[in-house]
Amino acid sequence: MRRQLMWMLVLRGIAALLFGIAALVWPGVTVLALALLFGAYALVDGLALLASAFRKEGDHGHRLAHAVGGILGIAAGLITITWPGVTALALVTLVGAWAVITGIMEVWAAVRFRRELHHEWLLFLAGAASVIAGVLIWARPDVGVITVAQVIGLYALISGALVLGTAWRLNGTTTAHSAHHARHA
């Protein structure tokens, strides 16, 4: 179960980093391109979360949280890809809502599974960064696409790095856990 969780976190972290870099390197992209980029990212993130909800391991609450987060991510991605001509304000509202909801779920997971995860503070920080980015986006939707792209890009880089840090720490505990069981077998 830990190995599957680690690889899901790696996938999410890499997707966030790639999206963040693209948003920062090309902040002047049109709303259409930004919408499609965000849609693809939210879809991949949602699919990864939803796939992890169907694991046989884990308690019902953990799987339910992943299922809800996955469905919301897939919905946000599909809506954005289906109607890429949405206005900048609608995109900002969608991105802000997604960031806040995702962040709240990551903070909840960090608190809920603090005994199972070592260094859960990394997941907590990723969630807090997501909530802060979402609130900042909602507070100033009028600042323009370039600024929104920069905020989203920075959020994605921070979140991606923290999620990859969590995966790295989880890999360390998985390796140590396997070595511990091998010694006692």
Side-chain angles (χ1 to χ4, degrees):
M1 180 171 111
R2 287 178 188 248
R3 186 161 295 288
Q4 288 175 344
L5 177 59
M6 180 197 67
W7 284 111
M8 186 218 28
L9 291 172
V10 167
L11 176 67
R12 291 182 67 211
I14 289 172
L17 288 176
L18 291 175
F19 175 73
I21 290 168
L24 289 174
V25 171
W26 299 294
V29 296
T30 64
V31 174
L32 178 64
L34 181 60
L36 290 173
L37 256 165
F38 169 73
Y41 167 68
L43 191 58
V44 168
D45 188 60
L47 287 170
L49 280 172
L50 192 58
S52 72
F54 289 104
R55 290 188 332 257
K56 292 182 178 158
E57 300 87 13
D59 68 15
H60 178 70
H62 184 232
R63 292 188 348 231
L64 180 62
H66 277 212
V68 169
I71 289 168
L72 290 172
I74 291 169
L78 289 175
I79 289 168
T80 303
I81 290 169
T82 303
W83 295 295
V86 296
T87 65
L89 185 58
L91 178 60
V92 168
T93 302
L94 181 64
V95 170
W98 174 81
V100 169
I101 291 167
T102 301
I104 289 169
M105 296 187 81
E106 286 175 338
V107 167
W108 175 81
V111 172
R112 171 92 165 78
F113 298 104
R114 66 186 173 278
R115 290 187 182 99
E116 288 85 5
L117 296 173
H118 296 289
H119 304 284
E120 72 284 349
W121 60 272
L122 289 169
L123 188 58
F124 183 88
L125 285 178
S130 184
V131 170
I132 291 168
V135 169
L136 288 174
I137 290 168
W138 279 346
R140 292 300 310 260
D142 59 329
V143 295
V145 175
I146 291 175
T147 302
V148 169
Q150 291 170 338
V151 169
I152 293 168
L154 286 172
Y155 149 69
L157 287 176
I158 292 167
S159 179
L162 291 170
V163 168
L164 283 174
T166 301
W168 179 72
R169 299 301 292 176
L170 187 60
N171 183 43
T173 62
T174 301
T175 305
H177 186 69
S178 298
H180 176 73
H181 282 309
R183 277 184 268 146
H184 293 296

